Amino acid sequence: LANSLIYALATVGISLTVGMSLVWLTERTDLPAKEVVLALVLLPVAIPGMVKAIGWAMLANPNMGVLNSIARDAFGFVDRFGPLNIYSLGGIIFVSALSHIPSVTLMIAGAFRSFDPVLEEAAQTSGADWRQTQRLVTMPLLQPSLLAAFLYFFAAGLDDFQLPALLGL
């Protein structure tokens, strides 16, 4: 139960943080090629979970993974094990968080698009700095969407079995 809670909380925390950052970049900044960035973020939705797990197992296998071989050669590790271990709880959380980022991005993007940026501009005109504007205007407007995403993906993390079963055994 403890591992499941840690897994679900860490997965949803990472995916919400990264997803919200990506949505903010694509919706609230003048990021060049934002349509391309959004398309690349959504691309992993088309890849089945089992294929992702097998791919990451080949990349970050502690004994013969490609990333570990490159890291051992580049940094001069003499040990034949690691430094990355995709079969650990941290590795499972990493792969699951990457899998949830596209869905989180889609779920939060609507909230960013729906509220008027004039509210943020009014706060800054009234003397609020960027941090105060985010804390007092943006976050309260996004709170329902973030809470819904948190609850949904927390429940999905508790329900998820495919990735932990493949990488955790």
Side-chain angles (χ1 to χ4, degrees):
L1 180 63
N3 283 339
S4 294
L5 289 174
I6 291 168
Y7 166 76
L9 284 172
T11 299
V12 75
I14 293 168
S15 58
L16 272 175
T17 303
V18 174
M20 194 165 113
S21 301
L22 288 168
V23 170
W24 182 79
L25 282 172
T26 57
E27 296 295 328
R28 288 286 185 254
T29 65
D30 57 350
L31 182 71
K34 62 175 70 178
E35 293 83 14
V36 174
V37 170
L38 191 58
L40 289 174
V41 167
L42 298 178
L43 188 64
V45 172
I47 302 170
M50 187 172 290
V51 174
K52 289 178 201 172
I54 292 170
W56 277 104
M58 290 180 170
L59 283 172
N61 183 303
N63 295 327
M64 59 186 176
V66 175
L67 295 177
N68 281 319
S69 298
I70 292 170
R72 283 193 294 262
D73 292 342
F75 299 112
F77 293 120
V78 292
D79 192 12
R80 298 289 304 153
F81 187 81
L84 303 174
N85 185 2
I86 202 68
Y87 302 119
S88 66
L89 182 60
I92 296 168
I93 289 169
F94 173 75
V95 174
S96 294
L98 287 179
S99 298
H100 289 306
I101 288 172
S103 302
V104 168
T105 302
L106 284 175
M107 198 170 203
I108 297 173
F112 266 93
R113 283 188 203 117
S114 67
F115 77 83
D116 195 0
V118 170
L119 298 170
E120 293 173 327
E121 293 168 8
Q124 291 174 346
T125 303
S126 299
D129 63 3
W130 183 83
R131 203 171 265 152
Q132 289 174 322
T133 302
Q134 298 304 309
R135 186 173 51 88
L136 298 173
V137 178
T138 306
M139 291 309 290
L141 290 170
L142 293 177
Q143 217 168 19
S145 175
L146 292 174
L147 182 61
F150 175 83
L151 290 174
Y152 178 80
F153 288 104
F154 179 73
L158 289 175
D159 183 49
D160 193 12
F161 182 72
Q162 190 174 13
L163 284 172
L166 284 169
L167 297 176
L169 296 176

